[in-house]
């Protein structure tokens, strides 16, 4: 069975990606895999890990009421989020990868975020980018 993979961050763009990922999984009858990717390092301490777990617990509570088969993944492996999402999408036979984009200034629009750009260009499956 294929999957819909969602890149999740606890920000408006991440919540928008999650909502759309749920819709797409229901529409397609697919499993939903929600990925929260952190680079790690010194700034990712016990407090940050605890906060990330609380956020994922909130996502789990939201997903349990949707009727969608889902899996939550928190990755702290030293990779960029783009690497984690592209790899997981490939490994899980994803039919769709959903990411959120944040608003940018007129100058910022000239350069798409590096993670978003890499996902859009390198993912082997279709990518749906949603705005908050």
């Amino acid at each position: 069975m294929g999957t819909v993979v969602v890149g999740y961050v606890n920000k408006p763009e991440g919540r928008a990606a999650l909502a759309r990922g749920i819709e797409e999984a229901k529409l397609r009858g697919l499993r939903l895999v929600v990925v929260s990717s952190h680079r790690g390092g010194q700034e990712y301490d016990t407090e940050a890990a605890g906060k990330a777990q609380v956020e994922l617990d909130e996502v789990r509570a939201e997903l349990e009421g949707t009727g969608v088969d889902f899996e939550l993944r928190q990755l702290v492996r030293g990779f960029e989020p783009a690497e984690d999402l592209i790899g997981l999408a490939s490994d899980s036979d994803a039919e769709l990868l959903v990411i959120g984009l944040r608003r940018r200034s007129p100058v910022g629009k000239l350069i798409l975020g590096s993670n978003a750009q890499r996902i859009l260009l390198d993912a082997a499956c279709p990518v749906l980018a949603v705005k908050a």
Side-chain angles (χ1 to χ4, degrees), residues 53-93:
Q53 187 58 53
V54 167
E55 292 169 357
L56 278 185
D57 290 342
E58 291 170 359
V59 171
R60 180 183 313 280
E62 180 179 345
L63 289 170
E64 285 175 346
T66 64
V68 172
D69 182 27
F70 70 90
E71 175 184 351
L72 292 176
R73 291 278 205 66
Q74 183 174 355
L75 303 176
V76 185
R77 306 185 305 179
F79 296 139
E80 292 292 330
E83 291 177 81
D84 280 335
L85 287 171
I86 291 168
L88 190 66
S90 177
D91 293 346
S92 65
D93 193 28

Side-chain angles (χ1 to χ4, degrees), residues 112-125:
L112 191 62
S114 61
N115 280 309
Q117 184 176 9
R118 176 141 183 243
I119 291 166
L120 288 167
L121 295 174
D122 294 347
C125 65

Side-chain angles (χ1 to χ4, degrees), residues 5-132:
V5 175
V6 173
Y8 180 78
V9 290
N10 190 28
K11 296 180 179 178
E13 59 269 20
R15 290 186 288 278
L18 178 63
R20 188 55 189 260
I22 292 168
E23 290 175 20
E24 291 294 331
K26 284 181 179 180
L27 179 70
R28 298 165 186 252
L30 299 175
R31 181 164 207 227
L32 183 67
V33 178
V34 179
V35 181
S36 176
S37 175
H38 305 274
R39 260 186 112 193
Q42 291 181 340
E43 63 277 353
Y44 194 78
D45 57 10
T46 306
E47 182 180 332
K51 181 180 175 193
Q53 187 58 53
V54 167
E55 292 169 357
L56 278 185
D57 290 342
E58 291 170 359
V59 171
R60 180 183 313 280
E62 180 179 345
L63 289 170
E64 285 175 346
T66 64
V68 172
D69 182 27
F70 70 90
E71 175 184 351
L72 292 176
R73 291 278 205 66
Q74 183 174 355
L75 303 176
V76 185
R77 306 185 305 179
F79 296 139
E80 292 292 330
E83 291 177 81
D84 280 335
L85 287 171
I86 291 168
L88 190 66
S90 177
D91 293 346
S92 65
D93 193 28
E95 291 187 20
L96 182 68
L97 178 53
V98 184
I99 60 171
L101 299 178
R102 68 176 187 258
R103 276 188 89 69
R104 296 201 172 262
S105 68
V107 173
K109 289 178 183 176
L110 294 173
I111 304 171
L112 191 62
S114 61
N115 280 309
Q117 184 176 9
R118 176 141 183 243
I119 291 166
L120 288 167
L121 295 174
D122 294 347
C125 65
V127 177
L128 176 60
V130 297
K131 291 193 269 185

